[in-house]
Amino acid sequence: MTKSATSLLLGAALATVFFLLYTSVCRDLGDGPPKSSPPRWAQEQGTAAVTPATRVVAAEQGTVRPARQEEEVVAPREEKQTKDEAASRSGHGGGAVEQQQNQQRIVMPTSQQKETPSSPPQRQQQDLGELLRRAATPDKTVLMTAINEAWAAPGSFLDLFLESFRHGEGTEHLVRHLLVVAMDGRAFERCNAVHQFCYWFRVDGMDFAAEQSYMKGDYLEMMWRRNRFQQTILELGFSFLFTDVDILWFRSPFPHLSPDAQVVMSSDFFVGDPTSPGNYPNGGLLYVRSSASTVRFYEHWQSSRARFPGKHEQFVFDRIVKEGVPPHVGATVRFLDTGHFGGFCQHGKDLGRVVTMHANCCVGLQNKLFDLRNVLEDWKTYKERVAAGNMDYFSWRVPGRCIH
């Protein structure tokens, strides 16, 4: 009897031990059979952010990261998802976590994404060097102008400027070598609507969209930034002929440029000698040949700004030319005759000789536009008379609001 009781107690103890061991092993192996992988539609939603279409957009906007960086970003996200799944199994916030994951999978199609005023249009991301290569003449020369929103608006200077090329003598083809530099997003959009080669020159923290009154607001910084951009063109190995957008083109300037010209600037007032520092410089029309000496000239020009605080680049140019360009720079400076390259300050009256006409010595966008439109109409009348065989002397319509 005693043996029988002892055997029963020993059997119960062994059964209890085996039961505890069994439950422990089951707990270690997991809560149940392995879960199946997410359905294919869920996987596709989870990877929508890296589809080929969105990757192309990211590449154009300069936001594509190397593969290694992407792995470093994805790894923490997977770790967070594992923690969320564990929380879901334990019954804490599972529904909220699942909802958050589903929201993260929603990606707006590229075609529905709206660009904000501060975000650049996709064409802005074109490489400057590539644009220059496409726009340049065979000898690596580009025409260049700069615009902001006020000057690029329909019916404003950009339209008038481009129209003058169409009505000039042998100038229409020159537009194919014109790079338009936009100083703000709206000007860039407008440029893309009417021209082939546009570049958005962005300056963080600066707003160049409004009409820039002479020496007021952001005018000073805009002019110096433009000057530094011109130096960049030279450093990339391209020569340029810069023209303000309030200049009308009637003939090609290149026949009037010496083959050995290095730095050639237009004048408000021309004293008769193209080498004289007594000329009154105007950077509205500026030809610079790309070379080591002209890059050094621009470096000297930029560094001289500190000696003349609060002055624009044209003032500093005049001073360093009057001082004499340092010998180590090695660049020579010449000035253009206003008889050919005129403006509202001083201009040639013979339309048989005029090359360009600049709305200088004039204040106010509307005043400039009023007189430039009259100048263009006078030019059209002149061409009609020449086409009819009338070679009599013909000049501008004066006085205007600015031109006299």
Side-chain angles (χ1 to χ4, degrees), residues 240-244 247 249 251-259 261-288 317 332-343 345-348 353 355-358 360:
F240 67 81
L241 179 54
F242 178 85
T243 168
D244 275 348
I247 292 181
W249 282 52
R251 295 183 174 93
S252 172
F254 292 105
H256 299 273
L257 299 177
S258 172
Q262 292 181 295
V263 179
V264 185
M265 185 176 281
S266 61
S267 312
D268 282 336
F269 297 95
F270 184 68
V271 299
D273 179 2
T275 66
S276 172
N279 290 297
Y280 292 76
N282 188 305
L285 197 65
L286 172 65
Y287 171 79
V288 186
F317 179 92
T332 57
V333 177
R334 298 289 183 270
F335 294 91
L336 294 172
D337 184 350
T338 53
H340 294 290
F341 301 90
C345 304
Q346 184 183 51
H347 57 86
R353 299 177 60 225
V355 176
T356 60
M357 188 68 162
H358 188 188
N360 53 7

Short mmCIF file of all heavy atoms in Angstrom, two decimals, residues 240-244 247 249 251-259 261-288 317 332-343 345-348 353 355-358 360:
data_model
loop_
_atom_site.label_atom_id
_atom_site.label_comp_id
_atom_site.label_asym_id
_atom_site.label_seq_id
_atom_site.Cartn_x
_atom_site.Cartn_y
_atom_site.Cartn_z
N PHE A 240 31.63 85.89 -73.48
CA PHE A 240 30.23 86.32 -73.50
C PHE A 240 30.11 87.76 -73.96
O PHE A 240 31.02 88.57 -73.82
CB PHE A 240 29.58 86.16 -72.12
CG PHE A 240 30.14 87.07 -71.05
CD1 PHE A 240 29.73 88.39 -70.93
CD2 PHE A 240 31.10 86.60 -70.15
CE1 PHE A 240 30.23 89.23 -69.96
CE2 PHE A 240 31.62 87.43 -69.17
CZ PHE A 240 31.18 88.74 -69.06
N LEU A 241 28.96 88.05 -74.53
CA LEU A 241 28.54 89.42 -74.82
C LEU A 241 27.27 89.64 -74.02
O LEU A 241 26.19 89.17 -74.38
CB LEU A 241 28.28 89.63 -76.31
CG LEU A 241 27.80 91.02 -76.73
CD1 LEU A 241 28.76 92.10 -76.24
CD2 LEU A 241 27.65 91.12 -78.23
N PHE A 242 27.42 90.32 -72.89
CA PHE A 242 26.27 90.58 -72.02
C PHE A 242 25.53 91.81 -72.51
O PHE A 242 26.14 92.82 -72.87
CB PHE A 242 26.71 90.79 -70.58
CG PHE A 242 25.57 91.09 -69.66
CD1 PHE A 242 24.82 90.07 -69.10
CD2 PHE A 242 25.20 92.41 -69.39
CE1 PHE A 242 23.74 90.35 -68.29
CE2 PHE A 242 24.12 92.69 -68.58
CZ PHE A 242 23.38 91.66 -68.02
N THR A 243 24.20 91.73 -72.49
CA THR A 243 23.36 92.85 -72.89
C THR A 243 22.22 93.00 -71.90
O THR A 243 21.58 92.03 -71.52
CB THR A 243 22.78 92.64 -74.31
OG1 THR A 243 21.76 93.60 -74.55
CG2 THR A 243 22.20 91.24 -74.49
N ASP A 244 22.00 94.23 -71.45
CA ASP A 244 20.80 94.48 -70.65
C ASP A 244 19.58 94.19 -71.51
O ASP A 244 19.61 94.32 -72.75
CB ASP A 244 20.76 95.93 -70.18
CG ASP A 244 21.55 96.13 -68.89
OD1 ASP A 244 21.94 95.13 -68.26
OD2 ASP A 244 21.80 97.31 -68.53
N ILE A 247 17.82 96.89 -74.01
CA ILE A 247 18.59 97.28 -75.19
C ILE A 247 17.94 96.64 -76.41
O ILE A 247 17.62 95.45 -76.40
CB ILE A 247 20.05 96.82 -75.08
CG1 ILE A 247 20.78 97.60 -73.98
CG2 ILE A 247 20.79 96.99 -76.41
CD1 ILE A 247 22.24 97.22 -73.81
N TRP A 249 18.32 95.48 -80.32
CA TRP A 249 19.39 95.04 -81.23
C TRP A 249 18.92 95.21 -82.68
O TRP A 249 17.91 94.64 -83.08
CB TRP A 249 19.72 93.57 -80.97
CG TRP A 249 20.58 93.35 -79.76
CD1 TRP A 249 20.37 93.82 -78.50
CD2 TRP A 249 21.80 92.63 -79.72
NE1 TRP A 249 21.37 93.41 -77.65
CE2 TRP A 249 22.27 92.68 -78.38
CE3 TRP A 249 22.54 91.92 -80.66
CZ2 TRP A 249 23.44 92.06 -77.97
CZ3 TRP A 249 23.70 91.30 -80.26
CH2 TRP A 249 24.16 91.36 -78.94
N ARG A 251 21.60 95.48 -85.38
CA ARG A 251 22.66 94.86 -86.19
C ARG A 251 23.58 94.07 -85.28
O ARG A 251 23.57 94.25 -84.06
CB ARG A 251 23.45 95.94 -86.95
CG ARG A 251 22.64 96.69 -88.00
CD ARG A 251 23.49 97.70 -88.76
NE ARG A 251 22.73 98.32 -89.86
CZ ARG A 251 22.07 99.45 -89.75
NH1 ARG A 251 22.05 100.12 -88.61
NH2 ARG A 251 21.40 99.94 -90.79
N SER A 252 24.38 93.21 -85.87
CA SER A 252 25.30 92.41 -85.06
C SER A 252 26.46 93.26 -84.57
O SER A 252 27.09 93.99 -85.36
CB SER A 252 25.85 91.24 -85.88
OG SER A 252 26.87 90.57 -85.17
N PRO A 253 26.80 93.18 -83.29
CA PRO A 253 27.93 93.96 -82.77
C PRO A 253 29.30 93.38 -83.11
O PRO A 253 30.30 94.08 -83.03
CB PRO A 253 27.72 93.91 -81.24
CG PRO A 253 26.39 93.29 -81.03
CD PRO A 253 26.08 92.48 -82.23
N PHE A 254 29.35 92.10 -83.47
CA PHE A 254 30.64 91.43 -83.57
C PHE A 254 31.57 92.04 -84.62
O PHE A 254 32.79 92.09 -84.40
CB PHE A 254 30.43 89.94 -83.83
CG PHE A 254 29.83 89.23 -82.65
CD1 PHE A 254 28.50 88.84 -82.65
CD2 PHE A 254 30.59 88.96 -81.51
CE1 PHE A 254 27.94 88.21 -81.56
CE2 PHE A 254 30.04 88.32 -80.41
CZ PHE A 254 28.70 87.95 -80.43
N PRO A 255 31.07 92.55 -85.76
CA PRO A 255 32.00 93.20 -86.70
C PRO A 255 32.67 94.44 -86.12
O PRO A 255 33.70 94.89 -86.66
CB PRO A 255 31.09 93.57 -87.88
CG PRO A 255 29.96 92.60 -87.82
CD PRO A 255 29.72 92.39 -86.36
N HIS A 256 32.14 95.00 -85.05
CA HIS A 256 32.72 96.20 -84.44
C HIS A 256 33.65 95.88 -83.27
O HIS A 256 34.14 96.80 -82.61
CB HIS A 256 31.58 97.11 -83.95
CG HIS A 256 30.67 97.58 -85.05
ND1 HIS A 256 30.92 98.71 -85.81
CD2 HIS A 256 29.53 97.04 -85.53
CE1 HIS A 256 29.95 98.86 -86.70
NE2 HIS A 256 29.09 97.86 -86.55
N LEU A 257 33.89 94.59 -83.02
CA LEU A 257 34.78 94.18 -81.94
C LEU A 257 36.12 93.76 -82.53
O LEU A 257 36.17 92.97 -83.47
CB LEU A 257 34.18 93.02 -81.15
CG LEU A 257 32.84 93.30 -80.45
CD1 LEU A 257 32.32 92.03 -79.78
CD2 LEU A 257 32.98 94.42 -79.44
N SER A 258 37.19 94.29 -81.98
CA SER A 258 38.53 93.94 -82.45
C SER A 258 38.80 92.47 -82.18
O SER A 258 38.38 91.93 -81.15
CB SER A 258 39.57 94.81 -81.73
OG SER A 258 40.88 94.36 -82.03
N PRO A 259 39.53 91.79 -83.09
CA PRO A 259 39.84 90.37 -82.89
C PRO A 259 40.62 90.10 -81.60
O PRO A 259 40.52 89.01 -81.04
CB PRO A 259 40.68 90.01 -84.13
CG PRO A 259 40.30 91.02 -85.16
CD PRO A 259 40.01 92.28 -84.40
N ALA A 261 40.19 91.85 -78.82
CA ALA A 261 39.46 92.47 -77.72
C ALA A 261 39.42 91.55 -76.51
O ALA A 261 39.25 90.34 -76.64
CB ALA A 261 38.04 92.81 -78.16
N GLN A 262 39.58 92.14 -75.32
CA GLN A 262 39.53 91.36 -74.09
C GLN A 262 38.35 91.78 -73.21
O GLN A 262 37.50 90.98 -72.89
CB GLN A 262 40.85 91.51 -73.32
CG GLN A 262 42.03 90.85 -74.03
CD GLN A 262 43.31 91.00 -73.23
OE1 GLN A 262 43.80 92.11 -73.04
NE2 GLN A 262 43.85 89.88 -72.78
N VAL A 263 38.33 93.05 -72.78
CA VAL A 263 37.20 93.58 -72.03
C VAL A 263 36.72 94.83 -72.75
O VAL A 263 37.47 95.82 -72.86
CB VAL A 263 37.60 93.93 -70.57
CG1 VAL A 263 36.40 94.51 -69.82
CG2 VAL A 263 38.15 92.70 -69.85
N VAL A 264 35.51 94.80 -73.27
CA VAL A 264 34.96 95.91 -74.05
C VAL A 264 33.60 96.28 -73.47
O VAL A 264 32.70 95.46 -73.41
CB VAL A 264 34.81 95.55 -75.54
CG1 VAL A 264 34.36 96.77 -76.33
CG2 VAL A 264 36.11 94.99 -76.09
N MET A 265 33.45 97.56 -73.05
CA MET A 265 32.23 98.01 -72.40
C MET A 265 31.63 99.19 -73.16
O MET A 265 32.35 99.99 -73.74
CB MET A 265 32.51 98.42 -70.95
CG MET A 265 31.28 98.80 -70.15
SD MET A 265 31.61 99.16 -68.41
CE MET A 265 31.74 97.51 -67.74
N SER A 266 30.31 99.27 -73.13
CA SER A 266 29.62 100.41 -73.75
C SER A 266 29.78 101.65 -72.87
O SER A 266 30.28 101.58 -71.74
CB SER A 266 28.14 100.09 -73.96
OG SER A 266 27.50 99.84 -72.73
N SER A 267 29.32 102.77 -73.38
CA SER A 267 29.51 104.05 -72.69
C SER A 267 28.19 104.80 -72.59
O SER A 267 27.36 104.75 -73.50
CB SER A 267 30.50 104.94 -73.45
OG SER A 267 31.67 104.23 -73.80
N ASP A 268 28.02 105.50 -71.49
CA ASP A 268 26.94 106.48 -71.43
C ASP A 268 27.32 107.69 -72.28
O ASP A 268 26.50 108.22 -73.03
CB ASP A 268 26.70 106.93 -69.99
CG ASP A 268 25.90 105.91 -69.19
OD1 ASP A 268 25.16 105.11 -69.81
OD2 ASP A 268 26.02 105.90 -67.95
N PHE A 269 28.58 108.11 -72.16
CA PHE A 269 29.13 109.21 -72.97
C PHE A 269 30.50 108.80 -73.47
O PHE A 269 31.36 108.37 -72.69
CB PHE A 269 29.21 110.50 -72.15
CG PHE A 269 27.89 111.01 -71.69
CD1 PHE A 269 27.40 110.69 -70.43
CD2 PHE A 269 27.09 111.80 -72.52
CE1 PHE A 269 26.17 111.16 -70.00
CE2 PHE A 269 25.86 112.27 -72.10
CZ PHE A 269 25.39 111.94 -70.84
N PHE A 270 30.69 108.91 -74.78
CA PHE A 270 31.94 108.49 -75.43
C PHE A 270 32.75 109.73 -75.78
O PHE A 270 32.23 110.68 -76.37
CB PHE A 270 31.61 107.69 -76.69
CG PHE A 270 32.79 107.13 -77.40
CD1 PHE A 270 33.56 106.12 -76.84
CD2 PHE A 270 33.15 107.61 -78.66
CE1 PHE A 270 34.66 105.59 -77.51
CE2 PHE A 270 34.23 107.09 -79.33
CZ PHE A 270 34.99 106.08 -78.76
N VAL A 271 34.04 109.72 -75.41
CA VAL A 271 34.89 110.90 -75.60
C VAL A 271 35.67 110.86 -76.91
O VAL A 271 36.46 111.77 -77.19
CB VAL A 271 35.86 111.07 -74.41
CG1 VAL A 271 35.08 111.26 -73.12
CG2 VAL A 271 36.84 109.89 -74.31
N GLY A 272 35.46 109.82 -77.70
CA GLY A 272 36.11 109.76 -79.00
C GLY A 272 37.27 108.80 -79.08
O GLY A 272 37.72 108.45 -80.19
N ASP A 273 37.81 108.35 -77.96
CA ASP A 273 38.95 107.43 -77.93
C ASP A 273 38.53 106.15 -77.19
O ASP A 273 38.23 106.20 -75.99
CB ASP A 273 40.13 108.08 -77.21
CG ASP A 273 41.34 107.17 -77.13
OD1 ASP A 273 41.30 106.05 -77.66
OD2 ASP A 273 42.35 107.59 -76.50
N PRO A 274 38.49 105.00 -77.88
CA PRO A 274 38.03 103.77 -77.23
C PRO A 274 38.95 103.28 -76.10
O PRO A 274 38.52 102.46 -75.29
CB PRO A 274 37.99 102.75 -78.37
CG PRO A 274 38.90 103.29 -79.41
CD PRO A 274 38.82 104.78 -79.30
N THR A 275 40.18 103.77 -76.03
CA THR A 275 41.11 103.34 -74.98
C THR A 275 41.14 104.29 -73.80
O THR A 275 41.78 104.00 -72.79
CB THR A 275 42.54 103.23 -75.55
OG1 THR A 275 43.02 104.53 -75.92
CG2 THR A 275 42.58 102.31 -76.75
N SER A 276 40.44 105.43 -73.90
CA SER A 276 40.54 106.45 -72.87
C SER A 276 39.76 106.07 -71.61
O SER A 276 38.57 105.70 -71.69
CB SER A 276 40.00 107.78 -73.39
OG SER A 276 39.91 108.73 -72.35
N PRO A 277 40.39 106.16 -70.42
CA PRO A 277 39.65 105.95 -69.17
C PRO A 277 38.69 107.09 -68.87
O PRO A 277 37.94 107.02 -67.90
CB PRO A 277 40.77 105.88 -68.13
CG PRO A 277 41.91 106.62 -68.71
CD PRO A 277 41.82 106.41 -70.20
N GLY A 278 38.69 108.13 -69.71
CA GLY A 278 37.77 109.24 -69.53
C GLY A 278 36.37 108.96 -70.04
O GLY A 278 35.46 109.76 -69.82
N ASN A 279 36.18 107.83 -70.73
CA ASN A 279 34.83 107.45 -71.15
C ASN A 279 33.97 107.13 -69.93
O ASN A 279 34.48 106.72 -68.88
CB ASN A 279 34.89 106.24 -72.09
CG ASN A 279 35.49 106.59 -73.44
OD1 ASN A 279 34.94 107.39 -74.18
ND2 ASN A 279 36.63 105.99 -73.77
N TYR A 280 32.67 107.30 -70.09
CA TYR A 280 31.74 107.01 -69.00
C TYR A 280 31.19 105.59 -69.19
O TYR A 280 30.32 105.37 -70.04
CB TYR A 280 30.60 108.02 -68.98
CG TYR A 280 31.03 109.42 -68.62
CD1 TYR A 280 31.71 110.23 -69.54
CD2 TYR A 280 30.77 109.94 -67.35
CE1 TYR A 280 32.11 111.51 -69.22
CE2 TYR A 280 31.16 111.23 -67.02
CZ TYR A 280 31.84 112.00 -67.96
OH TYR A 280 32.24 113.28 -67.62
N PRO A 281 31.65 104.63 -68.42
CA PRO A 281 31.30 103.22 -68.69
C PRO A 281 29.85 102.91 -68.35
O PRO A 281 29.26 103.49 -67.44
CB PRO A 281 32.25 102.44 -67.78
CG PRO A 281 32.56 103.37 -66.66
CD PRO A 281 32.57 104.75 -67.26
N ASN A 282 29.30 101.96 -69.11
CA ASN A 282 27.97 101.43 -68.83
C ASN A 282 28.01 99.93 -69.08
O ASN A 282 28.23 99.48 -70.21
CB ASN A 282 26.91 102.09 -69.71
CG ASN A 282 25.50 101.69 -69.30
OD1 ASN A 282 25.16 100.52 -69.23
ND2 ASN A 282 24.66 102.68 -69.03
N GLY A 283 27.81 99.15 -68.01
CA GLY A 283 27.90 97.70 -68.12
C GLY A 283 26.72 97.05 -68.79
O GLY A 283 26.65 95.81 -68.84
N GLY A 284 25.82 97.83 -69.36
CA GLY A 284 24.66 97.25 -70.04
C GLY A 284 25.03 96.47 -71.28
O GLY A 284 24.27 95.59 -71.70
N LEU A 285 26.15 96.80 -71.90
CA LEU A 285 26.65 96.02 -73.03
C LEU A 285 28.13 95.78 -72.77
O LEU A 285 28.93 96.73 -72.71
CB LEU A 285 26.45 96.79 -74.35
CG LEU A 285 26.56 95.96 -75.63
CD1 LEU A 285 25.45 94.93 -75.71
CD2 LEU A 285 26.53 96.85 -76.87
N LEU A 286 28.49 94.53 -72.62
CA LEU A 286 29.84 94.18 -72.15
C LEU A 286 30.30 92.90 -72.81
O LEU A 286 29.66 91.85 -72.66
CB LEU A 286 29.82 94.02 -70.62
CG LEU A 286 31.09 93.49 -69.96
CD1 LEU A 286 32.24 94.46 -70.13
CD2 LEU A 286 30.83 93.23 -68.48
N TYR A 287 31.39 93.00 -73.54
CA TYR A 287 31.99 91.81 -74.15
C TYR A 287 33.27 91.46 -73.40
O TYR A 287 34.11 92.34 -73.15
CB TYR A 287 32.33 92.05 -75.62
CG TYR A 287 33.14 90.93 -76.23
CD1 TYR A 287 32.53 89.73 -76.63
CD2 TYR A 287 34.53 91.04 -76.39
CE1 TYR A 287 33.28 88.69 -77.16
CE2 TYR A 287 35.27 90.01 -76.92
CZ TYR A 287 34.65 88.83 -77.30
OH TYR A 287 35.39 87.81 -77.83
N VAL A 288 33.41 90.18 -73.04
CA VAL A 288 34.62 89.71 -72.37
C VAL A 288 35.03 88.38 -72.99
O VAL A 288 34.22 87.44 -73.05
CB VAL A 288 34.42 89.55 -70.84
CG1 VAL A 288 35.74 89.19 -70.16
CG2 VAL A 288 33.83 90.81 -70.24
N PHE A 317 34.20 99.62 -61.47
CA PHE A 317 34.87 99.42 -62.76
C PHE A 317 35.53 100.72 -63.21
O PHE A 317 36.70 100.73 -63.63
CB PHE A 317 33.86 98.94 -63.80
CG PHE A 317 34.44 98.73 -65.18
CD1 PHE A 317 34.91 97.49 -65.55
CD2 PHE A 317 34.49 99.77 -66.10
CE1 PHE A 317 35.43 97.28 -66.83
CE2 PHE A 317 35.00 99.59 -67.36
CZ PHE A 317 35.48 98.34 -67.73
N THR A 332 43.31 94.20 -71.12
CA THR A 332 43.12 95.55 -71.65
C THR A 332 41.63 95.86 -71.74
O THR A 332 40.81 94.98 -72.01
CB THR A 332 43.75 95.69 -73.05
OG1 THR A 332 43.17 94.71 -73.93
CG2 THR A 332 45.25 95.49 -72.97
N VAL A 333 41.30 97.13 -71.51
CA VAL A 333 39.91 97.58 -71.50
C VAL A 333 39.68 98.55 -72.65
O VAL A 333 40.50 99.46 -72.88
CB VAL A 333 39.56 98.24 -70.16
CG1 VAL A 333 38.12 98.76 -70.18
CG2 VAL A 333 39.75 97.25 -69.01
N ARG A 334 38.57 98.37 -73.37
CA ARG A 334 38.19 99.27 -74.45
C ARG A 334 36.73 99.69 -74.26
O ARG A 334 35.97 99.03 -73.55
CB ARG A 334 38.35 98.58 -75.82
CG ARG A 334 39.77 98.16 -76.14
CD ARG A 334 40.64 99.38 -76.43
NE ARG A 334 42.00 99.00 -76.82
CZ ARG A 334 43.00 98.84 -75.97
NH1 ARG A 334 42.79 99.01 -74.66
NH2 ARG A 334 44.20 98.52 -76.39
N PHE A 335 36.34 100.80 -74.92
CA PHE A 335 34.98 101.31 -74.82
C PHE A 335 34.35 101.41 -76.21
O PHE A 335 35.05 101.61 -77.21
CB PHE A 335 34.96 102.68 -74.13
CG PHE A 335 35.38 102.63 -72.70
CD1 PHE A 335 36.71 102.82 -72.35
CD2 PHE A 335 34.45 102.38 -71.70
CE1 PHE A 335 37.11 102.76 -71.02
CE2 PHE A 335 34.83 102.33 -70.37
CZ PHE A 335 36.17 102.52 -70.03
N LEU A 336 33.02 101.29 -76.27
CA LEU A 336 32.29 101.32 -77.53
C LEU A 336 31.80 102.72 -77.85
O LEU A 336 31.38 103.47 -76.97
CB LEU A 336 31.09 100.36 -77.46
CG LEU A 336 31.44 98.87 -77.33
CD1 LEU A 336 30.17 98.06 -77.05
CD2 LEU A 336 32.14 98.36 -78.58
N ASP A 337 31.83 103.04 -79.13
CA ASP A 337 31.40 104.34 -79.64
C ASP A 337 29.87 104.42 -79.61
O ASP A 337 29.18 103.55 -80.14
CB ASP A 337 31.92 104.49 -81.07
CG ASP A 337 31.62 105.85 -81.68
OD1 ASP A 337 30.84 106.62 -81.08
OD2 ASP A 337 32.16 106.14 -82.77
N THR A 338 29.34 105.47 -78.98
CA THR A 338 27.90 105.63 -78.90
C THR A 338 27.26 105.94 -80.26
O THR A 338 26.04 105.87 -80.40
CB THR A 338 27.53 106.75 -77.92
OG1 THR A 338 28.25 107.94 -78.26
CG2 THR A 338 27.87 106.35 -76.49
N GLY A 339 28.08 106.27 -81.26
CA GLY A 339 27.55 106.45 -82.61
C GLY A 339 26.99 105.15 -83.14
O GLY A 339 26.05 105.14 -83.96
N HIS A 340 27.56 104.04 -82.73
CA HIS A 340 27.06 102.71 -83.11
C HIS A 340 26.25 102.07 -81.98
O HIS A 340 25.20 101.48 -82.21
CB HIS A 340 28.22 101.79 -83.47
CG HIS A 340 28.96 102.21 -84.70
ND1 HIS A 340 28.42 102.11 -85.96
CD2 HIS A 340 30.21 102.72 -84.86
CE1 HIS A 340 29.30 102.55 -86.86
NE2 HIS A 340 30.40 102.93 -86.21
N PHE A 341 26.77 102.19 -80.76
CA PHE A 341 26.14 101.55 -79.60
C PHE A 341 25.59 102.65 -78.69
O PHE A 341 26.17 103.01 -77.68
CB PHE A 341 27.17 100.70 -78.86
CG PHE A 341 27.78 99.62 -79.72
CD1 PHE A 341 28.93 99.87 -80.45
CD2 PHE A 341 27.19 98.37 -79.81
CE1 PHE A 341 29.50 98.89 -81.26
CE2 PHE A 341 27.75 97.38 -80.61
CZ PHE A 341 28.90 97.65 -81.34
N GLY A 342 24.45 103.19 -79.09
CA GLY A 342 23.91 104.38 -78.44
C GLY A 342 22.95 104.06 -77.32
O GLY A 342 22.62 102.91 -77.03
N GLY A 343 22.47 105.14 -76.72
CA GLY A 343 21.49 105.05 -75.66
C GLY A 343 20.78 106.37 -75.52
O GLY A 343 21.02 107.31 -76.28
N CYS A 345 21.23 108.46 -73.22
CA CYS A 345 22.18 109.50 -72.79
C CYS A 345 22.79 110.18 -74.01
O CYS A 345 22.80 111.40 -74.12
CB CYS A 345 23.31 108.89 -71.96
SG CYS A 345 22.81 107.95 -70.52
N GLN A 346 23.33 109.37 -74.91
CA GLN A 346 24.03 109.87 -76.09
C GLN A 346 23.88 108.82 -77.18
O GLN A 346 24.20 107.66 -76.97
CB GLN A 346 25.51 110.11 -75.77
CG GLN A 346 26.31 110.73 -76.90
CD GLN A 346 27.80 110.87 -76.52
OE1 GLN A 346 28.43 109.91 -76.08
NE2 GLN A 346 28.34 112.06 -76.68
N HIS A 347 23.41 109.25 -78.34
CA HIS A 347 23.15 108.24 -79.38
C HIS A 347 23.42 108.81 -80.75
O HIS A 347 23.32 110.01 -81.00
CB HIS A 347 21.69 107.75 -79.31
CG HIS A 347 20.69 108.86 -79.44
ND1 HIS A 347 20.24 109.33 -80.65
CD2 HIS A 347 20.06 109.62 -78.50
CE1 HIS A 347 19.38 110.30 -80.47
NE2 HIS A 347 19.26 110.51 -79.16
N GLY A 348 23.77 107.91 -81.65
CA GLY A 348 23.89 108.30 -83.04
C GLY A 348 22.51 108.49 -83.65
O GLY A 348 21.57 107.76 -83.32
N ARG A 353 23.74 103.51 -89.36
CA ARG A 353 24.95 103.08 -88.63
C ARG A 353 24.66 102.43 -87.30
O ARG A 353 25.51 101.74 -86.75
CB ARG A 353 25.86 104.30 -88.37
CG ARG A 353 26.34 105.01 -89.63
CD ARG A 353 27.17 106.22 -89.25
NE ARG A 353 28.34 105.84 -88.44
CZ ARG A 353 28.74 106.47 -87.34
NH1 ARG A 353 28.01 107.50 -86.87
NH2 ARG A 353 29.82 106.09 -86.69
N VAL A 355 23.75 100.18 -84.15
CA VAL A 355 23.83 98.74 -83.87
C VAL A 355 22.87 98.37 -82.74
O VAL A 355 22.07 97.45 -82.87
CB VAL A 355 25.28 98.32 -83.52
CG1 VAL A 355 25.33 96.84 -83.15
CG2 VAL A 355 26.22 98.61 -84.69
N THR A 356 22.97 99.09 -81.64
CA THR A 356 22.08 98.85 -80.50
C THR A 356 21.61 100.17 -79.93
O THR A 356 22.24 101.21 -80.12
CB THR A 356 22.78 98.05 -79.38
OG1 THR A 356 23.92 98.78 -78.91
CG2 THR A 356 23.20 96.67 -79.86
N MET A 357 20.50 100.11 -79.19
CA MET A 357 19.96 101.31 -78.53
C MET A 357 19.55 100.93 -77.12
O MET A 357 18.74 100.03 -76.90
CB MET A 357 18.74 101.84 -79.31
CG MET A 357 18.24 103.17 -78.84
SD MET A 357 19.40 104.54 -79.17
CE MET A 357 18.32 105.94 -79.02
N HIS A 358 20.10 101.66 -76.14
CA HIS A 358 19.95 101.33 -74.73
C HIS A 358 19.09 102.39 -74.04
O HIS A 358 19.31 103.58 -74.23
CB HIS A 358 21.33 101.27 -74.08
CG HIS A 358 21.32 100.76 -72.67
ND1 HIS A 358 22.44 100.78 -71.87
CD2 HIS A 358 20.34 100.20 -71.91
CE1 HIS A 358 22.16 100.26 -70.69
NE2 HIS A 358 20.88 99.91 -70.69
N ASN A 360 19.22 103.86 -71.30
CA ASN A 360 19.94 104.38 -70.13
C ASN A 360 19.51 105.83 -69.89
O ASN A 360 18.72 106.40 -70.64
CB ASN A 360 21.45 104.26 -70.33
CG ASN A 360 21.91 104.88 -71.63
OD1 ASN A 360 21.14 105.51 -72.36
ND2 ASN A 360 23.18 104.70 -71.97
#
